[in-house]
Amino acid sequence: MKDTLRKLCEAYGPSGNEGQVRDLIRSEIEGLADSVRVDALGNLIAVKGSGGHRVMLAAHMDEIGVIITHIDENGFLRFAPVGGVWTLGLSGRRVAFADGTIGAIGLEKLDDRDRVPAMAKFYIDIGASKKDEVHLKVGDMAVMTRPFVTNGGRWIGKAMDNRAGCAVLIETMRRLKAPKHEVAFVFTTQEEVGLRGATTSAFGLDPEIAVAVDVTGTGDTPKAAPMAVSLGEGAAIKVRDGGMLAHLGVKDLLVQRAEENGIAYQLEVLEGGTTDGRAIQTSRAGVPTGVVSVPTRYIHSPSEMIDERDAEACASLLVVLLENDITL
Ligand code: CO
Ligand code: ZN
């Protein structure tokens, strides 16, 4: 999974601009699905297997980023967030645009250095000295840029949220020899700006059961908010997050399959934030939906950290879910 995830993490894909990530995933899943299509919102839908239930698995391709709002006479770019970007730590970060242009984030002189400045105080410097030299346009988006690195089984990169989930879905497709169900692997768009790709793809697919795969926080770092999820302790099976209550039947089935197969898991209650699972669950007349999460430290920073074993456990859990009967 490491090589796939490295490529995915380093790719450019802010919300609404998932094309590069989609192309990469398309080549990674070549020959693994019975059919592959892209819908109007850019969701990549790969279907494998037949019979049983119509199952939807979802992982979002997009990542947080910034969007140019204004370019001044001296060629400095002002920006707004795309998704949940924290201002803390922005200064000095590098961003990459779709064409590979790199910018450094600078910060105006501050009156009070002890307060976290507003986003309006930051700007992107691409090295231009006047507006004419800037080939970028208002509305162009950039993502944080940082190489994917590993410290043994701990992997660090930008956009682990949610390329880790994408890699889990790809790995599941690779390992899944005999699905008992018609499984739609959906690589969704625009999750970070409001679960939009999941909303339309769930409506279109009309699944009977769904599982979203995304990252979740952990409580295992210094003075972290209390949370009973740790890196390396296994796949996190969601009970609740800020936007949904997992369907109890799906949650219990995931727990049962993990226990039967000796797959490490932990129960997840995330106090803030949500995933595609929320949009899928409330699609049409409602879809029994669960979430399998990859525990991740420093979510929405350029150094999101996961444990290899957790990602492996997530894939193992999905494989046994899909190779067995589903009764809720
Ligand atoms: Co996110
Ligand atoms: Zn996410």
Side-chain angles (χ1 to χ4, degrees), residues 34-310:
D34 303 332
S35 71
V36 178
R37 67 179 191 275
V38 177
D39 76 4
L41 258 74
N43 299 295
L44 179 68
I45 301 170
V47 180
K48 182 170 181 164
S50 59
H53 293 292
R54 287 191 312 280
V55 182
M56 173 177 179
L57 299 185
H60 69 89
M61 297 186 283
D62 62 312
E63 67 192 289
I64 58 166
V66 295
I67 182 167
I68 301 176
T69 53
H70 177 260
I71 302 170
D72 75 16
E73 289 310 313
N74 297 317
F76 294 102
L77 320 173
R78 297 289 173 160
F79 58 90
V82 176
V85 177
W86 297 65
T87 45
L88 194 64
L90 268 187
S91 185
R93 276 193 195 158
R94 294 174 195 180
V95 295
F97 289 88
D99 67 354
T101 300
I102 303 292
I105 296 186
L107 178 58
E108 295 174 6
K109 179 180 175 300
L110 295 180
D111 301 325
D112 181 355
R113 287 177 148 270
D114 295 327
R115 291 239 310 265
V116 178
M119 195 155 296
K121 296 271 186 195
F122 295 90
Y123 54 84
I124 297 169
D125 181 349
I126 60 163
S129 29
K130 52 182 193 298
K131 197 172 184 175
D132 294 353
E133 294 173 7
V134 181
H135 61 291
L136 299 162
K137 301 276 182 278
V138 166
D140 286 354
M141 288 186 191
V143 297
M144 307 298 158
T145 174
R146 204 64 82 87
F148 174 97
V149 295
T150 60
N151 285 335
R154 297 280 161 100
W155 300 349
I156 306 166
K158 64 111 175 137
M160 267 322 162
D161 175 10
N162 184 29
R163 308 291 156 68
C166 294
V168 166
L169 251 55
I170 294 167
E171 182 66 15
T172 302
M173 290 180 81
R174 285 185 183 135
R175 290 200 216 159
L176 192 61
K177 296 295 175 258
K180 270 200 163 181
H181 308 277
E182 182 185 318
V183 189
F185 293 82
V186 186
F187 300 89
T188 65
T189 56
Q190 301 190 33
E191 189 270 356
E192 298 289 357
V193 291
L195 322 174
R196 295 171 192 167
T199 302
T200 62
S201 54
F203 188 95
L205 287 162
D206 192 14
E208 293 166 278
I209 170 179
V211 177
V213 181
D214 205 330
V215 299
T216 192
T218 70
D220 61 351
T221 52
K223 295 192 181 176
M227 184 174 177
V229 172
S230 301
L231 237 55
E233 296 292 314
I237 297 172
K238 192 184 297 287
V239 180
R240 171 211 183 261
D241 65 22
M244 79 180 284
L245 296 162
H247 184 277
L248 291 179
V250 179
K251 188 260 300 177
D252 289 341
L253 180 61
L254 288 165
V255 168
Q256 185 191 333
R257 294 285 179 250
E259 289 188 346
E260 287 165 354
N261 294 278
I263 298 164
Y265 76 96
Q266 36 195 336
L267 293 173
E268 173 206 342
V269 173
L270 177 70
E271 297 200 45
T274 193
T275 74
D276 279 343
R278 179 205 167 97
I280 300 167
Q281 183 177 51
T282 54
S283 178
R284 289 181 180 254
V287 180
T289 302
V291 179
V292 172
S293 311
V294 183
T296 304
R297 291 179 184 165
Y298 322 122
I299 292 177
H300 287 195
S301 86
S303 300
E304 298 174 325
M305 183 190 294
I306 68 162
D307 188 297
E308 169 182 19
R309 293 168 296 175
D310 297 334

